[in-house]
Amino acid sequence: MADCVKMQSRYSGCVLGSAIGDAMGAPGEFMSHHRIKQFFGERGILDFHEYEGLPPGSYTDDTQMTIATAIGCIAVSRRRLEGEYPDPIEMLHGQYIKWRHGQDDPAQRRGPGKTCLTSLSSEKIGTVNERINNSKGCGGVMRMAPVGLCFRSDEVFRLGTDFAAITHGHPSGYLTAGFLAELISHIIKGKSTEDAIQSCVERLLTWDEHEETLEKVKLAERLARGGLIAEETIPQIGEGWIAEEALGIALYCSLKFPGDFAEGVLASVNHSGDSDSTGAIVGAILGASLGVEAIPARWIERVENAEYLQKLAVEMLDVSEGGRNLSL
């Protein structure tokens, strides 16, 4: 029972942590680090703030698409438990199409990425072998944590790449997604982030055109061992608009602050660039590693749709355990 409680804490921490990181970074997206400090104070963003007329704690398209990924993964897993073998790519594409249709409602638009919108407005489903474009924006990797929560560790890298390739055709756009999916899978089972990264690197090396992703992973590891503060270090990795930079920043912040969810997330959102996406990825990693208890309660209470996100976490644990834990 204790192990089940710990696992549920990690699942909840991953899902809520990702949404919290996203909502924390949303007001600073598109701002330079200098502008963030001018606007929010010398220490930068320290809490939720409103953005674009939305109340503090509101998440962006990153969490909307993460929710779509979670719903799709749960549906695939439930079908498998019933002895059926649906096409996971088609089922996830269907969830992403529902999200795309929702973007026609101005009340639902939370800064959707152009690549995701255009890819999902076409009649094609992008795949690794039949690439829909050459985009390596971070819109694939930022939504992929649920894959690591729902499926076996030996299949999540492939599934993560497949699901990201629906919208992002550049190898760095989908290999980073596979990397994050497997990373989450290892972490929730108790591996340290360092050991999980090494396992993912071994898998990454078996894929063609992995060099850009590997370079940022290794850079993040090296910088995390250094003595510079985060605001001086993160620019060496990039701004996070492209996938390998977003993953690199997230790995750096997770390694730099392995025992402190708040410090890791705040470091990941206080930089020039795509602060909501880097915040979402760090929130997922540290939430999975440390569990929901490590997340400040005031943030859980104020993040948008916290109760629904918790429900998704319970359902994902249930399907990952073969349908035995829904009563938790």
Side-chain angles (χ1 to χ4, degrees), residues 52-101:
E52 296 181 3
L54 295 167
S58 299
Y59 50 65
T60 75
D61 64 303
D62 293 35
T63 299
Q64 288 180 332
M65 294 201 77
T66 300
I67 290 171
T69 301
I71 294 171
C73 290
I74 291 168
V76 171
S77 298
R78 292 260 181 245
R79 293 276 295 276
R80 286 182 174 184
L81 291 173
E82 294 167 359
E84 302 176 24
Y85 296 93
D87 183 339
I89 297 175
E90 287 187 2
M91 293 193 73
L92 267 292
H93 180 257
Q95 292 300 321
Y96 294 149
I97 289 295
K98 290 181 181 179
W99 168 83
R100 172 64 187 89
H101 290 162

Side-chain angles (χ1 to χ4, degrees), residues 18 26 62 73 89 100 151 165 170 191 212 228 255 266 285:
S18 181
D62 293 35
C73 290
I89 297 175
R100 172 64 187 89
F151 300 108
H170 191 285
K191 272 192 176 183
E212 285 184 344
L228 294 178
L255 291 168
L266 292 177
I285 295 171

Side-chain angles (χ1 to χ4, degrees), residues 19-321:
I20 286 168
D22 176 22
M24 196 72 64
E29 187 181 20
F30 305 113
M31 287 187 182
S32 68
H33 187 229
H34 176 70
R35 177 60 177 150
I36 286 173
K37 292 203 291 186
Q38 281 187 322
F39 195 85
F40 297 103
E42 185 59 30
R43 295 178 61 196
I45 297 171
L46 298 174
D47 204 343
F48 294 136
H49 294 274
E50 66 175 27
Y51 73 98
E52 296 181 3
L54 295 167
S58 299
Y59 50 65
T60 75
D61 64 303
D62 293 35
T63 299
Q64 288 180 332
M65 294 201 77
T66 300
I67 290 171
T69 301
I71 294 171
C73 290
I74 291 168
V76 171
S77 298
R78 292 260 181 245
R79 293 276 295 276
R80 286 182 174 184
L81 291 173
E82 294 167 359
E84 302 176 24
Y85 296 93
D87 183 339
I89 297 175
E90 287 187 2
M91 293 193 73
L92 267 292
H93 180 257
Q95 292 300 321
Y96 294 149
I97 289 295
K98 290 181 181 179
W99 168 83
R100 172 64 187 89
H101 290 162
Q103 299 307 294
D104 294 333
D105 178 2
Q108 294 299 314
R109 289 180 71 93
R110 301 289 180 88
K114 182 179 179 180
T115 297
C116 289
L117 291 176
T118 56
S119 298
L120 296 171
S121 297
S122 74
E123 296 182 358
K124 293 180 60 179
I125 300 178
T127 69
V128 171
N129 294 323
E130 295 184 15
R131 302 174 186 179
I132 195 166
N133 53 40
N134 196 42
S135 174
K136 60 174 181 175
C138 68
V141 62
M142 57 78 170
R143 66 183 193 242
M144 217 47 64
V147 181
L149 299 178
C150 287
F151 300 108
R152 301 189 317 269
S153 295
D154 62 350
E155 65 176 337
V156 293
F157 198 111
R158 162 62 73 175
L159 289 172
T161 62
D162 285 343
F163 299 158
I166 291 172
T167 56
H168 290 71
H170 191 285
S172 298
Y174 57 73
L175 290 178
T176 50
F179 195 103
L180 179 64
E182 183 168 335
L183 186 78
I184 294 295
S185 180
H186 290 312
I187 289 173
I188 60 168
K189 293 176 176 65
K191 272 192 176 183
S192 68
T193 302
E194 292 90 341
D195 288 345
I197 289 173
Q198 295 315 307
S199 295
C200 294
V201 166
E202 291 174 9
R203 186 88 64 181
L204 177 66
L205 290 172
T206 67
W207 286 75
D208 293 336
E209 301 180 88
H210 62 260
E211 289 80 10
E212 285 184 344
T213 299
L214 180 64
E215 178 186 357
K216 292 300 184 183
V217 171
K218 292 299 184 182
L219 177 61
E221 290 181 305
R222 186 168 68 252
L223 292 174
R225 294 191 293 267
L228 294 178
I229 61 175
E231 70 174 80
E232 295 174 347
T233 305
I234 289 175
Q236 298 181 50
I237 303 173
E239 295 189 343
W241 300 111
I242 55 177
E244 69 268 28
E245 291 181 359
L247 178 65
I249 292 170
L251 294 178
Y252 164 78
C253 292
S254 299
L255 291 168
K256 193 70 174 179
F257 305 98
D260 195 324
F261 178 91
E263 285 300 313
V265 166
L266 292 177
S268 74
V269 302
N270 281 291
H271 67 91
S272 302
D274 198 351
S275 50
D276 60 327
S277 296
T278 53
I281 301 170
V282 172
I285 295 171
L286 287 177
S289 175
L290 300 174
V292 71
E293 295 84 5
I295 303 175
R298 67 186 185 279
W299 291 350
I300 295 175
E301 291 167 0
R302 296 167 61 205
V303 72
E304 182 179 2
N305 284 336
E307 185 175 346
Y308 177 66
L309 294 171
Q310 173 68 17
K311 178 177 180 290
L312 284 178
V314 171
E315 291 188 7
M316 284 190 280
L317 175 59
D318 182 55
V319 297
S320 74
E321 295 291 335

